[in-house]
């Protein structure tokens, strides 16, 4: 009799990381590809997590406590390394894990231009939402071939050349910590565009420690579940704007 918990998607299309982890069959492996935790305002290589970001990562780790060891893969940025270390700490691991750096997940996987050029490209196109509006339009509607690779074949390529290539080297569960411009398209891809991340329509963007669970069975067949490590898988920029400007609806 299957006693694993049912995986429930919230209104935005995300399940909790903990529910997906607890639902895994013994012969399944999972890679949780998530955005780093809340960071300071800068976006440099050395940018650190906020105090809230540290707590968020530890709280996520506390929901994943078990006797088994995890693998931790990061982009090598300070904020992704810190996120992995704090998740490990929250799990109660006695020592800091050995972090595996993978440069395919730095955020440029889906881009034909540099990440630093995205905002300039959005401005040239007259998009007020800057780079995140540009990415949302591309992820859900396609287009912009000079800026982005085609999402689905590029995501499939990642699954084959990074996930499946390394799966046998990683432990049964891997936490992969990357950046929003990498994780957001994967969540859209893995959900078949069902997750509510249409910034160009609803001002939603991928939240910290949210992303996509990639689950492989014994034959390396893959399935995907969008996941959240906090209360929500999305940042609702419209709600934030209304709260900051004390705009209330009846």
């Amino acid at each position: 009799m299957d006693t694993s918990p049912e995986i429930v998607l919230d209104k935005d299309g995300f399940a909790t990381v903990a529910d997906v982890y607890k639902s895994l069959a013994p012969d399944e492996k999972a890679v949780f590809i998530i955005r780093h935790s809340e960071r300071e305002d800068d976006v440099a290589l050395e940018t650190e997590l906020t105090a809230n970001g540290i707590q968020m990562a530890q709280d996520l780790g506390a929901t994943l406590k078990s006797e088994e060891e995890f693998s931790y893969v990061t982009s090598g940025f300070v904020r992704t390394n810190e996120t992995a270390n704090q998740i490990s700490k929250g799990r109660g691991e006695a020592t800091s894990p050995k972090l595996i750096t993978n440069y395919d997940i730095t955020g440029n996987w889906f881009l034909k231009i540099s990440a630093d050029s995205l905002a300039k490209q959005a401005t040239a196109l007259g998009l007020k939402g800057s780079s995140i509006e540009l990415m949302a339009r591309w992820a859900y509607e396609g287009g912009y071939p000079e800026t982005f690779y085609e999402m689905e074949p590029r995501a499939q390529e990642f699954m084959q050349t990074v996930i499946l290539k390394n799966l046998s080297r990683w432990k049964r569960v891997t936490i992969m910590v990357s950046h929003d411009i990498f994780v957001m398209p994967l969540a859209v891809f893995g959900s078949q565009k069902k997750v509510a991340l249409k910034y160009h329509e609803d001002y939603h963007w991928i939240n910290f420690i949210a992303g996509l669970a990639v689950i492989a069975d014994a034959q390396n067949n893959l399935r995907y579940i969008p996941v959240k490590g906090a209360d929500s898988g999305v940042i609702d920029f419209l709600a934030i704007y209304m709260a900051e400007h004390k705009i209330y609806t009846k």
Side-chain angles (χ1 to χ4, degrees):
M1 181 177 178
D2 185 5
T3 59
S4 59
E6 180 183 1
I7 298 175
V8 178
L9 301 181
D10 66 13
K11 63 181 178 60
D12 298 312
F14 292 85
T16 69
V17 173
D19 281 352
V20 175
Y21 172 53
K22 293 170 185 175
S23 75
L24 294 175
D27 63 346
E28 288 183 321
K29 302 186 79 169
V31 182
F32 292 95
I33 308 171
I34 60 173
R35 185 184 180 190
H36 56 77
S37 198
E38 184 183 273
R39 56 162 172 77
E40 300 290 352
D41 289 339
D42 195 11
V43 291
L45 178 67
E46 301 83 6
T47 301
E48 299 179 342
L49 299 183
T50 63
N52 185 55
I54 291 171
Q55 189 63 55
M56 287 173 65
Q58 289 184 10
D59 289 347
L60 171 56
T63 70
L64 304 173
K65 285 187 176 181
S66 69
E67 296 299 320
E68 71 176 318
E69 295 182 355
F70 286 10
S71 292
Y72 294 88
V73 181
T74 81
S75 67
F77 283 55
V78 169
R79 56 187 176 276
T80 60
N81 289 350
E82 284 187 339
T83 300
N85 283 326
Q86 295 300 329
I87 291 173
S88 171
K89 184 175 181 179
R91 293 192 70 230
E93 297 179 13
T95 59
S96 295
K98 180 180 179 181
L99 304 182
I100 303 166
T101 303
N102 188 298
Y103 295 106
D104 285 322
I105 65 169
T106 55
N108 296 316
W109 182 264
F110 291 99
L111 306 182
K112 292 182 179 179
I113 63 175
S114 70
D116 294 338
S117 301
L118 270 180
K120 294 179 181 178
Q121 183 79 344
T123 299
L125 292 168
L127 302 181
K128 294 182 179 179
S130 192
S131 57
I132 61 176
E133 179 179 349
L134 176 57
M135 287 207 69
R137 289 181 179 277
W138 159 75
Y140 284 95
E141 300 173 357
Y144 310 103
E146 297 83 11
T147 305
F148 302 101
Y149 292 99
E150 190 177 347
M151 184 178 67
E152 182 165 348
R154 189 64 169 163
Q156 292 285 11
E157 182 183 351
F158 178 79
M159 299 304 166
Q160 293 295 321
T161 62
V162 178
I163 299 297
L164 289 177
K165 181 180 178 180
N166 290 288
L167 206 56
S168 63
R169 308 175 194 175
W170 298 338
K171 300 188 186 300
R172 189 177 81 103
V173 175
T174 298
I175 304 293
M176 178 179 285
V177 189
S178 182
H179 306 267
D180 55 351
I181 62 173
F182 176 73
V183 175
M184 181 270 185
L186 286 180
V188 176
F189 157 77
S191 70
Q192 298 181 320
K193 301 186 179 182
K194 294 177 182 177
V195 285
L197 294 172
K198 295 182 179 180
Y199 181 89
H200 54 302
E201 294 181 4
D202 55 21
Y203 299 99
H204 284 180
W205 189 243
I206 190 80
N207 199 7
F208 299 110
I209 56 175
L212 183 70
V214 180
I215 302 168
D217 65 16
Q219 290 74 44
N220 280 344
N221 298 305
L222 301 181
R223 60 189 176 94
Y224 311 107
I225 304 173
V227 290
K228 59 182 181 180
D231 290 339
S232 177
V234 307
I235 298 174
D236 187 339
F237 282 105
L238 180 58
I240 293 171
Y241 177 86
M242 293 177 68
E244 289 178 344
H245 292 80
K246 296 181 171 56
I247 301 173
Y248 304 102
T249 58
K250 294 182 179 180

